[in-house]
Amino acid sequence: MKAIKVERDELLWMEAESPALGVGEVRIRVLASAVNRADLVQRSGGYPPPPGASDILGLECAGEVLEIGEGVGRVQPGDPVCALLAGGGYAEEVVVPAGQVLPIPDGLSAVEAAALPEVFATAFLNLYMEANLTPGEKVLLHAGASGVGTAAIQLCKLTHNDCFVTVGNAGKIDECVRLGAAGGWNRHEGEFKQAVQEWSGGGVDVILDPVGAAYLSDNLLVLNPDGRLVVIGLMGGVETSVNLGLMLVKRLRIVGSTLRARSIPAKALVMDRLRDEVWPHIATGDIRPVIDTVIPIEEADRAHALVAGDQTVGKVVLKVSE
Ligand SMILES: NC(=O)c1ccc[n+]([C@@H]2O[C@H](COP(=O)([O-])OP(=O)(O)OC[C@H]3O[C@@H](n4cnc5c(N)ncnc54)[C@H](OP(=O)(O)O)[C@@H]3O)[C@@H](O)[C@H]2O)c1
């Protein structure tokens, strides 16, 4: 098979060894994969794959089942599927535990389905399983136009949670509002806290934050009593100080969360809930994959540069095969 290999910081589409199929695993012929922010960090050596995972880039894919391992009952060869991966998606074939494989929602192409697994699993896990978001609570989503952000906006709309976004330009605010956000703030126009307080009439109940250190103190300020902050990324740094007084008085919770390093059963739990609670709304068109650009896998370098430029809305999909 062919796969992307990183050589002297270049992404090259070249021959690679097909992965071996194990018990409880599924081999997928990859028709499309997609870029995640984490791929850029892994490429530069900052986010190594968890033990046992492929060292090929790629956290998601869509395609068709080629082969199933012993004990797999939920899919059959020929089924159109998409999957959450710990690695290996930038390739013609990938092997993945069966619990991380879902059917392609009715009516979607493989290119569209490749934009779903990582961002919907991340948004669902952190909003509902980590932050225990309940209907009516208000949400702040940083990087609202990112892949994860555009998935989270649509989930919030579905579960009757008003949400406010921070983004990097006015056009992205409009895109987020079209997807269901109630409003937004351009992060290049100053601190977000006043805009969030004005929009919410006080504060928000849940924050999904991929920025980390740079936003921590203002995140704590805009949280309501009993508020939950889920930190899912560190684009704005790792270390800062915390006002524990504010945390104590408002009974705040800060949760750190990664999806990729979770156990196989923990990932399967998230995927089962996606299949039952989110996939039906994709089939009806109420929720949709948000795709900025589709780029052939051979031009993965260009796809990474596009994502690194911070101008994309939603996903950059890599087309692997027809
Ligand atoms: N913990 C997990 O399990 C998990 C899983 C998936 C993703 N993530 C994290 O979630 C985030 C979004 O991932 P993605 O793949 O959806 O990203 P993406 O589509 O590449 O979007 C990232 C966006 O973040 C904004 N941004 C970049 N640098 C920033 C900074 N220093 N401060 C504030 N905003 C900044 C930019 O948008 P604007 O210019 O519009 O603000 C950029 O377009 C990443 O941090 C990723 O690592 C975490």
Side-chain angles (χ1 to χ4, degrees):
M1 69 165 192
K2 281 191 159 174
I4 289 287
K5 286 189 176 170
V6 186
E7 287 198 358
R8 287 180 296 279
D9 199 39
E10 246 187 283
L11 302 182
L12 303 173
W13 184 237
M14 56 199 290
E15 279 306 318
E17 206 174 314
S18 283
L21 183 73
V23 174
E25 292 183 333
V26 176
R27 184 188 303 281
I28 296 171
R29 182 164 82 91
V30 178
L31 299 179
S33 184
V35 180
N36 286 280
R37 200 77 176 182
D39 303 346
L40 277 55
V41 186
Q42 181 175 339
R43 168 190 184 163
S44 57
Y47 188 51
S54 167
D55 63 0
I56 295 170
L57 296 173
L59 300 176
E60 59 198 332
C61 74
E64 79 174 16
V65 175
L66 277 180
E67 195 183 355
I68 56 174
E70 199 185 316
V72 174
R74 62 194 267 158
V75 292
Q76 294 300 321
D79 285 356
V81 292
C82 53
L84 177 73
L85 310 170
Y90 291 16
E92 287 178 319
E93 281 182 24
V94 70
V95 158
V96 54
Q100 290 162 226
V101 179
L102 291 187
I104 291 183
D106 287 346
L108 261 61
S109 67
V111 161
E112 291 168 320
L116 298 172
E118 173 73 15
V119 294
F120 276 94
T122 300
F124 190 94
L125 163 68
N126 294 301
L127 289 174
Y128 305 103
M129 298 168 81
E130 291 293 354
N132 294 314
L133 180 65
T134 56
E137 288 190 311
K138 288 194 172 84
V139 180
L140 170 60
L141 301 168
H142 292 302
S146 66
V148 174
T150 53
I153 293 169
Q154 296 186 82
L155 293 176
C156 284
K157 185 179 176 196
L158 187 72
T159 54
H160 307 290
N161 296 102
D162 285 348
C163 71
F164 188 87
V165 296
T166 66
V167 294
N169 62 52
K172 285 188 176 186
I173 296 178
D174 294 342
E175 297 278 355
C176 291
V177 167
R178 266 195 285 279
L179 282 172
W185 175 250
N186 179 351
R187 68 184 169 98
H188 299 301
E189 290 184 353
E191 291 175 346
F192 61 82
K193 64 178 180 246
Q194 197 181 337
V196 174
Q197 279 159 341
E198 280 171 11
W199 167 75
S200 60
V204 296
D205 304 295
V206 166
I207 303 176
L208 191 59
D209 177 38
V211 179
Y215 283 2
L216 184 67
S217 61
D218 284 353
N219 278 338
L220 298 186
L221 277 175
V222 302
L223 273 174
N224 282 331
D226 295 311
R228 290 87 74 200
L229 164 64
V230 187
V231 178
I232 61 164
L234 301 165
M235 291 188 291
V238 176
E239 288 193 23
T240 184
S241 60
V242 185
N243 182 338
L244 290 174
L246 208 54
M247 281 195 68
L248 189 139
V249 169
K250 293 207 275 182
R251 299 179 302 276
L252 304 179
R253 272 166 283 166
I254 304 177
V255 179
S257 174
T258 61
L259 175 61
R260 189 190 197 188
R262 285 176 196 240
S263 68
I264 292 169
K267 288 180 190 169
L269 204 63
V270 180
M271 297 308 277
D272 284 350
R273 289 197 58 186
L274 275 189
R275 182 196 57 211
D276 296 344
E277 298 173 44
V278 177
W279 258 220
H281 300 283
I282 297 175
T284 60
D286 291 335
I287 287 185
R288 61 180 177 86
V290 179
I291 296 177
D292 185 280
T293 314
V294 181
I295 292 179
I297 188 86
E298 295 86 345
E299 296 173 43
D301 250 326
R302 180 162 71 86
H304 276 209
L306 196 59
V307 169
D310 288 349
Q311 299 304 309
T312 49
V313 174
K315 302 287 295 182
V316 173
V317 172
L318 297 166
K319 192 166 184 178
V320 176
S321 175
E322 288 303 326

